[in-house]
């Protein structure tokens, strides 16, 4: 008997699922309002001689902050720009009369972060959306001076975050959990998980716990030695009808080929992989039919035209995360006002819907997100099944 996640997947194929998103219509992707003035202020406008942005969008009663940390590397700078633009697009199209968003950038120095946070604390913001990470949260807490302000951080579930901070970015490991759920909906019940290192083995344990919670059995995590299964791991190889490949496993097709030659696989075995497969992996016969969960497929269909009209470029996954964090905040603020961001509301079991699909913030302030299912075929990821409308 498998868990509720598996039931959800099975019901979807039968067309029996209904959308239930806690009445937060302003957050629902299908109900996105037409853009009226999307060419409005872009979040990337610099407002000071230092080049750090400082801008306010919307005129609603609920005050929200976007706190960006200016980093030296171009990749982080670009990601911040896209998160920010996505959040601005959500305000301009969903809730300019619901929230007032202060978008403030600061240098990646503790004293600068603390000073910027003090500015937000004086404005009595009810929620902070931020690119902060690691020890930077300590500087934010000092700047808040004891105020209990929840934060949504563009960090993954793997990150260690302080109380009141919610992870919001889905990782390859998260995608493996969803893919394993789908494999179990297709009939798999017994998993073996292959990891590339001791550090990855720890993350594999999280996936194992989830598979067990879904009702499956899991063999001890296998750490590969020299790209091959240790002899003791081969003893249970034929028992497993699902192999989960952690993202760090190199040349997974060769790993499977060697293991299957030493010990024939169980008939009907399913392979679960992440979206980090190389072109060579995608052309490997042993990976044909592998199940892959992808979170980034709906962005263009849901906000792409509006994002392009406002910013002149395609919407990225980062823009989608920024949009969804802000859309969630607008939906909650529109319904509950100043008390919208209590834990029981942010972690509503019904979840929220946005450009990246349906998601939910849950236990230990982790994010759970549905995804479209693809299967590996003909050297690429081939769409197989749309993400279900509920978690």
């Amino acid at each position: 008997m498998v868990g509720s996640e598996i039931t959800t997947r099975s019901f979807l194929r039968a067309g029996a699922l209904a959308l239930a998103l806690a009445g937060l219509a302003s957050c629902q992707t299908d109900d996105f309002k037409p853009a009226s003035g999307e060419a409005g202020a872009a979040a990337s406008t610099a407002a000071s001689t230092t080049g750090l942005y400082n801008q306010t969008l919307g005129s609603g009663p609920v005050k929200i902050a976007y706190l960006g940390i200016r980093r030296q590397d171009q990749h982080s700078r670009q990601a911040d720009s896209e998160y920010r633009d996505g959040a601005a697009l959500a305000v301009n199209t969903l809730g300019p009369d619901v929230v007032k968003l202060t978008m403030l950038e600061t240098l990646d120095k503790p004293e600068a972060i603390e000073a910027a946070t003090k500015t937000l604390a004086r404005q009595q913001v009810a929620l902070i959306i931020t690119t902060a990470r690691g020890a930077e949260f300590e500087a934010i807490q000092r700047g808040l001076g004891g105020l209990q302000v929840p934060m949504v951080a563009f960090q993954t579930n793997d990150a260690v975050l302080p109380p009141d901070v919610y992870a919001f970015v889905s990782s390859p490991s998260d995608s493996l959990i969803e893919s394993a759920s789908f494999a179990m909906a297709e009939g798999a019940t017994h998993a073996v998980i292959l990891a590339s290192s001791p550090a990855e083995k720890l993350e594999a344990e999280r996936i194992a716990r989830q598979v067990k919670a879904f009702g499956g059995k899991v063999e001890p995590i296998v750490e590969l030695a020299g790209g091959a299964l240790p002899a003791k791991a081969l003893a249970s190889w034929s028992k497993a009808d699902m192999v989960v490949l952690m993202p760090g496993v190199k040349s997974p097709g060769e790993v499977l080929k060697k293991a299957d030659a030493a010990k024939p696989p169980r008939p009907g075995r399913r392979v679960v992989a992440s979206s980090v497969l190389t072109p060579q992996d995608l052309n490997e016969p042993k990976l044909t039919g592998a199940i892959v969960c992808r979170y980034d497929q709906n962005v263009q269909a849901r906000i792409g035209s509006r994002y392009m009209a406002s910013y002149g470029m395609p919407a990225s996954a980062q823009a989608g995360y920024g949009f969804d964090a802000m859309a969630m905040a607008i939906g909650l603020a529109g319904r509950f006002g100043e008390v919208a961001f209590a834990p029981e509301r942010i972690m509503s079991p019904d979840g929220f819907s946005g450009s990246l699909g349906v998601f939910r913030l849950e236990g230990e302030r982790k994010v759970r997100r549905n995804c479209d299912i693809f299967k590996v075929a003909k050297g690429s990821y081939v769409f197989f099944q749309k993400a279900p409308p509920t978690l």
Side-chain angles (χ1 to χ4, degrees):
M1 187 74 173
V2 293
S4 60
E5 265 69 23
I6 312 307
T7 303
T8 295
R9 289 287 193 190
S10 302
F11 283 177
L12 177 65
R13 295 198 299 274
L17 279 178
L19 183 65
L21 296 176
L24 299 181
S26 61
C27 271
Q28 294 179 9
T29 301
D30 293 339
D31 293 331
F32 285 164
K33 300 174 184 176
S36 58
E38 286 183 15
S44 58
T45 301
S48 71
T49 55
T50 63
L52 299 174
Y53 59 79
N54 184 349
Q55 185 179 10
T56 299
L57 299 177
S59 57
V62 180
K63 297 176 182 177
I64 296 174
Y66 179 99
L67 179 61
I69 311 299
R70 171 71 67 91
R71 307 192 191 283
Q72 297 302 313
D73 65 288
Q74 184 57 38
H75 175 76
S76 295
R77 296 273 287 272
Q78 182 63 33
D80 175 76
S81 175
E82 292 169 6
Y83 288 135
R84 187 174 74 245
D85 288 347
L89 182 66
V91 174
N92 289 336
T93 60
L94 297 179
D97 56 344
V98 176
V99 299
K100 182 177 182 180
L101 175 64
T102 297
M103 310 190 82
L104 185 61
E105 185 180 36
T106 184
L107 299 175
D108 60 345
K109 302 178 184 301
E111 62 275 14
I113 295 171
E114 182 177 348
T117 307
K118 285 181 179 178
T119 298
L120 300 175
R122 286 193 293 270
Q123 295 178 15
Q124 297 183 314
V125 297
L127 176 74
I128 296 174
I129 299 171
T130 183
T131 60
R133 61 193 184 199
E136 292 166 351
F137 288 108
E138 297 176 11
I140 292 175
Q141 295 292 356
R142 290 195 298 273
L144 289 173
L147 293 176
Q148 299 296 310
V149 181
M151 285 176 259
V152 173
F154 295 116
Q155 299 292 311
T156 68
N157 291 329
D158 311 335
V160 178
L161 299 174
D164 296 327
V165 181
Y166 298 83
F168 203 72
V169 175
S170 294
S171 68
S173 294
D174 295 319
S175 77
L176 289 173
I177 291 172
E178 297 302 321
S179 296
S181 168
F182 185 84
M184 295 179 72
E186 288 197 325
T189 61
H190 193 146
V192 60
I193 305 176
L194 308 185
S196 64
S197 66
E200 196 169 61
K201 190 174 179 180
L202 289 175
E203 186 59 24
E205 293 288 356
R206 183 168 73 92
I207 297 172
R209 289 193 295 272
Q210 287 294 322
V211 172
K212 291 175 184 177
F214 296 157
K217 183 176 181 180
V218 184
E219 292 295 320
I221 307 299
V222 177
E223 184 182 337
L224 299 178
L229 264 70
K232 62 180 180 180
L234 284 171
S236 60
W237 188 247
S238 297
K239 298 178 184 177
D241 57 6
M242 173 170 56
V243 176
V244 179
L245 301 168
M246 294 297 290
V249 174
K250 304 300 182 185
S251 302
E254 287 299 316
V255 173
L256 294 177
K257 194 179 299 182
K258 292 177 183 177
D260 290 348
K263 194 80 176 284
R266 182 171 165 178
R269 179 189 67 188
R270 288 164 175 82
V271 175
V272 170
S274 69
S275 58
V276 300
L277 296 177
T278 67
Q280 182 178 351
D281 296 334
L282 293 171
N283 281 290
E284 168 57 54
K286 279 290 183 181
L287 291 180
T288 296
I291 299 166
V292 179
C293 151
R294 299 187 67 179
Y295 297 112
D296 57 351
Q297 296 306 296
N298 290 317
V299 179
Q300 295 306 321
R302 290 173 169 167
I303 65 170
S305 61
R306 278 168 281 182
Y307 192 87
M308 177 66 78
S310 294
Y311 303 107
M313 63 184 69
S316 64
Q318 285 79 15
Y321 284 121
F323 185 97
D324 290 358
M326 197 65 238
M328 178 186 72
I330 292 168
L332 289 170
R335 189 174 183 189
F336 300 108
E338 292 285 353
V339 295
F341 307 116
E344 64 272 16
R345 295 190 178 113
I346 292 181
M347 294 193 290
S348 168
D350 294 313
F352 308 90
S353 182
S355 65
L356 293 169
V358 177
F359 64 92
R360 177 174 64 217
L361 297 170
E362 51 188 21
E364 299 182 348
R365 306 176 312 284
K366 307 294 187 183
V367 65
R368 178 79 186 277
R369 187 172 276 107
N370 268 352
C371 55
D372 293 328
I373 294 295
F374 288 71
K375 291 197 175 183
V376 174
K378 300 178 181 178
S380 65
Y381 299 105
V382 178
F383 175 76
F384 187 75
Q385 181 176 294
K386 186 179 179 180
T390 58
L391 282 157

